[in-house]
Amino acid sequence: MSSNRRHLANAIRALAMDSVQKANSGHPGAPMGMADIAEVLWNDYMQHNPSNPKWADRDRFVLSNGHGSMLIYSLLHLTGYDLGIADLKQFRQLHSRTPGHPEYGYAPGVETTTGPLGQGITNGVGMALAEKTLAAQFNKPGHSIVDHNTYVFLGDGCLMEGISHEACSLAGTLGLGKLIAFWDDNGISIDGNVEGWFTDDTAGRFEAYGWQVIRNVDGHSADEIKAAIEAAKAETGKPTMVCCKTVIGFGSPNKGGTHNCHGAALGDEEIALVRKELNWKYPPFEIPDDVYAGWDNKEAGQAAESDWDARFEAYAAEFPTEAAELKRRLNNERTADWDAGMDAFIAEVDAKGETIASRKASQNTIAALAKLTPELLGGSADLAGSNLTLWPDAKPVTNHDDGNYVNYGVREFGMTAMLNGISLHGGFVSYGATF
């Protein structure tokens, strides 16, 4: 890895260990271990605008191993989001913008709440499904208005949790080719070496799901990381799992590679040794100007959004109806006839005065809503015949066909977290059902 890239990545390591040390609580190991992967992804590939965290066509980034929250906080701070050093110094403090696990709505750029392991990757599957479905509904020849990736960092814990199995299985079936996950394969969890309790053939499992799997990537080699991302982006028909071999707590002479840096502060003596090992000559929370300059994405992010704005104007000129509809959806506005349509439906129900099962009443309501809400994206966990979630005009989403109904299969837990991802992505009103 080039010295400049490593120097930029070391800023993450320094901020992570210093923030955890100040709080005397947290997880420095994952941010230090994944810093090199994050540096390549965010500096060379991520399309985002720190000045407008809600830009519609931004890439989504999800830190599924949310205990390593100082990784995302460091990235947001360094690249120019409204998250200052003062916020990092308040890491894990009551009412701070930098809680111990990323919380949606606290810091700009945090796409979803993560902490319960496996939830983040499952949210990411929902986001990728929303992107693919929205693109199918609105993109036109010569106009790729919806065109972004969902990137997920995840660890061994996420892969052990059952919810991730459910969602990743469905992601393969649906061919979510713009979902790219990076597995922090460091062999360590809080209790020690995972070989005592986690011996799955993870790569083989994801291949069986229908994912592209890129094995044995050195998570500290920029060249290998770049090659893996290029291969992931080139495969548009399958989601990709990048298996990154990393050292947890990279740079810590005595605690790196062990569970001792997973869930506890390194301590002042070890931090001093890390600074020496990494040739990081700056005191806690001090980032030199050249490092800020190397990370800053405000100008590039604004240029990317401005380019998209121009492309959207060209799209709107040729497809004004579709452009207006997409803007309505992204602005969370109801259709013009929504109120009148629902009033008419309620009046009709009252006039009939029928006594029917509540699930039949629910189906009738869904059908009425669907006529007035083209962004409705519903689904059931293999129980549509029992909970009556299908409506007459519902069309299933498949690998090769756009629709408005998701057959989740028997995946109740995966369904619930995917719903959060779909909703957080924007452009849809979604529901799920079990029995």
Side-chain angles (χ1 to χ4, degrees):
M1 194 157 189
S2 73
S3 59
N4 186 57
R5 280 193 177 278
R6 180 56 52 77
H7 189 51
L8 295 178
N10 286 344
I12 296 174
R13 296 183 171 104
L15 289 172
M17 67 182 184
D18 290 338
S19 298
V20 172
Q21 184 65 28
K22 187 176 187 302
N24 196 29
S25 178
H27 298 74
M32 295 173 74
M34 298 194 81
D36 295 317
I37 308 168
E39 189 278 322
V40 174
L41 177 64
W42 279 63
N43 277 326
D44 291 9
Y45 295 97
M46 275 280 291
Q47 293 291 306
H48 63 108
N49 183 5
S51 300
N52 181 14
K54 295 298 185 181
W55 168 36
D57 204 41
R58 70 193 180 278
D59 288 334
R60 271 57 169 182
F61 177 80
V62 177
L63 185 70
S64 189
N65 44 346
H67 55 272
S69 55
M70 272 311 304
L71 176 61
I72 190 169
Y73 297 148
S74 298
L75 287 165
L76 295 172
H77 170 73
L78 291 167
T79 56
Y81 287 78
D82 179 23
L83 196 70
I85 283 290
D87 294 308
L88 303 189
K89 289 181 177 179
Q90 289 298 305
F91 178 60
R92 294 182 80 100
Q93 303 308 298
L94 188 63
H95 305 308
S96 80
R97 303 172 77 203
T98 50
H101 296 80
E103 298 280 348
Y104 180 75
Y106 280 61
V110 173
E111 299 283 3
T112 182
T113 298
T114 56
L117 296 175
Q119 301 276 352
I121 177 62
T122 308
N123 292 163
V125 172
M127 291 176 185
L129 174 59
E131 190 279 340
K132 181 177 181 178
T133 305
L134 202 65
Q137 292 177 358
F138 287 95
N139 287 352
K140 301 293 183 182
H143 296 277
S144 294
I145 296 303
V146 181
D147 184 12
H148 53 266
N149 288 98
T150 300
Y151 297 107
V152 181
F153 280 12
L154 73 164
D156 291 318
C158 296
L159 293 168
M160 285 185 250
E161 287 283 5
I163 193 170
S164 70
H165 295 239
E166 296 180 18
C168 291
S169 167
L170 187 55
T173 296
L174 294 176
L176 302 181
K178 290 186 178 176
L179 173 62
I180 301 174
F182 298 83
W183 170 27
D184 184 23
D185 183 12
N186 59 39
I188 297 293
S189 63
I190 288 180
D191 284 351
N193 194 307
V194 299
E195 288 184 1
W197 48 86
F198 183 51
T199 58
D200 297 11
D201 177 4
T202 297
R205 173 156 60 88
F206 274 78
E207 287 172 343
Y209 289 157
W211 288 52
Q212 173 183 226
V213 176
I214 303 173
R215 301 173 180 241
N216 298 317
V217 174
D218 181 349
H220 304 296
S221 165
D223 290 341
E224 292 194 26
I225 297 164
K226 283 180 67 69
I229 296 173
E230 292 289 343
K233 289 173 70 68
E235 174 53 78
T236 59
K238 298 179 179 181
T240 295
M241 172 65 78
V242 183
C243 305
C244 299
K245 292 288 185 180
T246 63
V247 176
I248 190 172
F250 182 95
S252 176
N254 298 305
K255 297 184 178 182
T258 75
H259 71 282
N260 295 317
C261 66
H262 190 297
L266 296 179
D268 291 330
E269 292 184 9
E270 188 68 11
I271 285 176
L273 293 176
V274 174
R275 279 186 156 77
K276 184 177 181 180
E277 179 74 15
L278 299 179
N279 195 29
W280 188 259
K281 302 174 181 179
Y282 316 101
F285 298 104
E286 181 177 312
I287 304 296
D289 290 342
D290 67 309
V291 171
Y292 275 128
W295 276 105
D296 186 21
N297 195 65
K298 293 191 292 295
E299 184 176 341
Q302 187 58 58
E305 182 173 356
S306 296
D307 175 71
W308 183 82
D309 288 341
R311 290 189 288 113
F312 187 82
E313 286 185 16
Y315 172 77
E318 191 170 349
F319 302 99
T321 301
E322 290 83 351
E325 171 64 7
L326 180 56
K327 288 177 69 174
R328 180 193 69 77
R329 290 198 195 184
L330 295 176
N331 290 331
N332 295 314
E333 299 170 351
R334 290 182 294 192
T335 54
D337 57 348
W338 198 93
D339 288 329
M342 287 308 297
D343 287 344
F345 168 69
I346 293 169
E348 181 183 353
V349 170
D350 288 343
K352 287 182 178 179
E354 293 178 312
T355 299
I356 57 176
S358 57
R359 54 182 165 165
K360 180 60 181 174
S362 172
Q363 184 184 47
N364 292 344
T365 304
I366 291 171
L369 285 167
K371 292 177 181 178
L372 302 166
T373 315
E375 64 267 40
L376 193 67
L377 183 63
S380 177
D382 203 52
L383 286 159
S386 297
N387 54 37
L388 301 183
T389 47
L390 274 169
W391 66 96
D393 296 323
K395 180 184 177 184
V397 174
T398 70
N399 188 344
H400 304 292
D401 200 8
D402 165 42
N404 54 12
Y405 189 85
V406 183
N407 290 291
Y408 285 98
V410 187
R411 300 183 179 96
E412 285 94 343
F413 296 112
M415 174 182 67
T416 58
M418 283 181 64
L419 290 174
N420 287 335
I422 293 168
S423 298
L424 289 167
H425 178 277
F428 291 101
V429 173
S430 193
Y431 73 84
T434 180
F435 191 68

